[in-house]
């Protein structure tokens, strides 16, 4: 069998009903893969949620409430903890600025959740 015979057989298969269904399924899979890979609404901080919660709890214990700008100091301490965990997991590489901003937002969201549901009791 030479290359032209193989290509002709492949063309016949793809021009059949089965081939059309196969191409359609491949395109649907490609669309779902691309939409999940480049989703602008994806919350990338969620994969660091455990470190975020640990950082929040450590910052709550570490920084007293009577400290000036205690909220910002606690945010900074929690952020430093999460960034250190990120660097440890990625061989010392620091996250991009967009991920740092998402992690900051995630820290604020998780802090509000923990505060609301009583997870920050001292």
């Amino acid at each position: 069998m030479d290359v032209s015979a193989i290509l002709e057989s492949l063309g016949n298969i793809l021009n059949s009903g089965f081939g059309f269904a196969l191409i359609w399924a491949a395109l649907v899979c490609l669309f779902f893969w691309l939409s999940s890979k480049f989703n602008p609404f994806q919350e990338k901080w969620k994969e660091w949620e455990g470190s975020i919660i640990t950082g929040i709890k450590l910052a709550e214990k570490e920084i007293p409430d009577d400290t000036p700008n205690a909220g910002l100091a606690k945010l900074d301490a929690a952020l430093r903890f999460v960034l250190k965990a990120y660097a440890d997991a990625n061989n010392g590489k620091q996250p991009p600025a967009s991920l740092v901003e998402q992690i900051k937002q995630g820290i604020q969201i998780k802090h509000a959740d923990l505060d609301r549901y009583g997870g920050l009791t001292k």
Side-chain angles (χ1 to χ4, degrees):
M1 235 176 165
D2 58 347
V3 175
S4 63
I6 292 173
L7 290 177
E8 185 178 337
S9 298
L10 183 62
N12 289 337
I13 291 171
L14 293 178
N15 283 329
S16 68
F18 175 73
F20 177 74
L22 191 64
I23 291 170
W24 183 82
L27 288 175
V28 168
C29 290
L30 178 69
F31 172 75
F32 282 124
W33 178 75
L34 286 174
S35 65
S36 68
K37 184 152 181 75
F38 299 110
N39 183 1
F41 304 109
Q42 188 175 13
E43 296 172 325
K44 295 192 183 284
W45 64 267
K46 287 209 178 225
E47 66 184 83
W48 298 99
E49 191 169 5
S51 295
I52 287 173
I53 292 171
T54 304
I56 290 169
K57 289 187 176 190
L58 287 174
E60 286 289 329
K61 289 180 182 177
E62 198 175 279
I63 299 170
D65 289 335
D66 60 346
T67 304
N69 297 323
L72 288 176
K74 290 176 184 180
L75 172 64
D76 185 54
L79 180 62
R80 278 187 277 118
F81 179 83
V82 176
L83 293 180
K84 183 180 179 315
Y86 182 94
D88 291 344
N90 292 297
N91 300 322
K93 183 180 173 188
Q94 293 299 316
S98 62
L99 182 59
V100 172
E101 185 59 36
Q102 286 186 11
I103 289 173
K104 281 183 191 176
Q105 299 299 323
I107 289 171
Q108 294 171 6
I109 290 168
K110 288 312 294 180
H111 185 276
D113 286 348
L114 290 171
D115 192 30
R116 182 179 316 126
Y117 298 118
L120 292 179
T121 56
K122 291 192 176 192

